[in-house]
Amino acid sequence: MGLRKETIEGIVWSLPYLAVFTVFLIWPALKGLYMSLHTYPNKFDLTETEWVGLQNYVELFQDPVFYNAMEGTLLFVAISVPALVILGLVMALGVNRDVAGKRTLRAIYFSPYVLTVAVVTLVWGQVYSQSYGLINYYLGFFIDNPPGWLTSPDLVMAALAFMTVWWLVGFNFVIFLAARQSIPERLYEAARLDGATGWRAFKDITLPQMRNSVVFVVMVQFILQFQVFAQPYVMTQGGPKDTSDTLVYYLYRSAFSQQQFGYGAAIGYVLVAILIVIAIVNFKVIGDSND
């Protein structure tokens, strides 16, 4: 009787969360799946649908623009994620040492993360300006024609990734710093007695003890950076020559600019599938190495 009462109470207390979960996650997910299997002939009446089955997905995988957006996304992820993880770890290990102004450095490192993406993109848009930007102003002392960071097909994605690292690395820094400070110092004292210092102590003690945090940060950053949208949307509109196009920006253009709602929903579900695969691979490759 007591167990049954506890079960009923647990269900009752869970109902508010389940209601929110259903309304804001389960229902939109099912609705999106429904949309991806239909087209909308009347752009002004979303109740008028036409069943097309997997046609949207077939067209998607035959669309060269989709592959270009995928390539841009992969390039952005390949540049930003390693930098975000490695730099965040280095910053955390550096601040953890007995250096002057540790508290000030912590505030400085984390402060960009509290800015909104709109503020960050607008500020860095000015910094990257070819004619009056801060970077090209100083480069002008050394070279005659500083590059157009947001107008060069070869530089634009690296520029967006660098800005993203500056903006988001503070989150990883905090996670890594907390993980490093949770490692018992007696482990390092024992290692020093055995002559293990520097790189050996990092490899044998620091990294294994922080592995769960590393797995978490890597997975989160892969998922977040694969969904990059605001940076190309505000700063480049996918240019120049679609070299900064990304999957989420392509989804936005398809669904809202071109009003191909079913096609946009299909892009969204392909993106979800990619993220699930990435999460599984990251967990297997990084997480299983913890065994």
Side-chain angles (χ1 to χ4, degrees):
M1 185 65 179
L3 182 60
R4 182 180 178 184
K5 181 180 178 181
E6 290 181 359
T7 302
I8 295 174
E9 289 179 350
I11 294 174
V12 170
W13 284 106
S14 301
L15 285 177
Y17 168 78
L18 292 175
V20 173
F21 183 79
T22 301
V23 171
F24 292 102
L25 185 63
I26 299 299
W27 169 245
L30 294 176
K31 181 65 174 178
L33 180 60
Y34 173 86
M35 294 177 67
S36 72
L37 302 175
H38 293 76
T39 59
Y40 293 79
N42 188 345
K43 308 302 182 182
F44 301 99
D45 184 8
L46 296 184
T47 62
E48 182 181 340
T49 63
E50 179 182 337
W51 168 264
V52 294
L54 298 178
Q55 180 181 334
N56 286 323
Y57 294 94
V58 173
E59 292 181 2
L60 179 63
F61 286 108
Q62 295 175 347
D63 186 357
V65 181
F66 167 74
Y67 290 103
N68 178 72
M70 173 68 78
E71 182 180 350
T73 303
L74 290 173
L75 178 59
F76 180 85
V77 169
I79 298 173
S80 61
V81 172
L84 282 163
V85 175
I86 295 173
L87 184 58
L89 181 59
V90 170
M91 290 163 56
L93 296 179
V95 170
N96 186 69
R97 301 170 66 89
D98 292 328
V99 296
K102 287 196 300 184
R103 294 184 179 179
T104 303
L105 288 175
R106 292 175 188 175
I108 292 173
Y109 290 162
F110 185 73
S111 57
Y113 184 72
V114 304
L115 300 176
T116 64
V117 64
V119 172
V120 173
T121 52
L122 290 175
V123 169
W124 278 86
Q126 303 300 311
V127 172
Y128 281 139
S129 174
Q130 186 173 5
S131 56
Y132 56 83
L134 184 65
I135 295 177
N136 282 1
Y137 171 77
Y138 287 106
L139 285 178
F141 292 107
F142 305 98
I143 57 179
D144 293 331
N145 296 307
W149 299 97
L150 300 179
T151 57
S152 169
D154 298 326
L155 298 175
V156 61
M157 199 57 82
L160 295 180
F162 181 84
M163 180 209 71
T164 303
V165 171
W166 175 88
W167 173 38
L168 298 179
V169 73
F171 172 81
N172 299 344
F173 161 72
V174 170
I175 299 297
F176 286 140
L177 182 61
R180 172 59 184 87
Q181 292 180 340
S182 68
I183 302 176
E185 288 299 321
R186 66 177 182 273
L187 296 179
Y188 293 98
E189 294 172 1
R192 283 193 291 270
L193 293 176
D194 292 337
T197 58
W199 167 252
R200 186 177 171 188
F202 171 78
K203 179 174 65 72
D204 295 338
I205 300 175
T206 306
L207 199 56
Q209 293 292 320
M210 296 179 62
R211 186 153 298 173
N212 288 337
S213 298
V214 172
V215 172
F216 170 76
V217 168
V218 170
M219 291 181 66
V220 167
Q221 291 305 327
F222 261 107
I223 292 172
L224 288 178
Q225 303 319 315
F226 239 94
Q227 300 176 73
V228 59
F229 167 72
Q231 295 92 313
Y233 173 70
V234 176
M235 302 181 73
T236 64
Q237 292 76 51
K241 300 178 181 179
D242 295 329
T243 52
S244 63
D245 199 5
T246 64
L247 285 176
V248 177
Y249 185 51
Y250 181 41
L251 186 160
Y252 166 81
R253 294 202 318 272
S254 299
F256 298 101
S257 297
Q258 302 170 8
Q259 295 184 315
Q260 297 177 340
F261 303 111
Y263 193 73
I267 297 173
Y269 267 86
V270 170
L271 177 60
V272 169
I274 292 172
L275 294 179
I276 292 174
V277 172
I278 288 174
I280 293 174
V281 171
N282 278 331
F283 183 78
K284 289 294 183 181
V285 172
I286 303 177
D288 285 357
S289 63
N290 195 26
D291 298 337

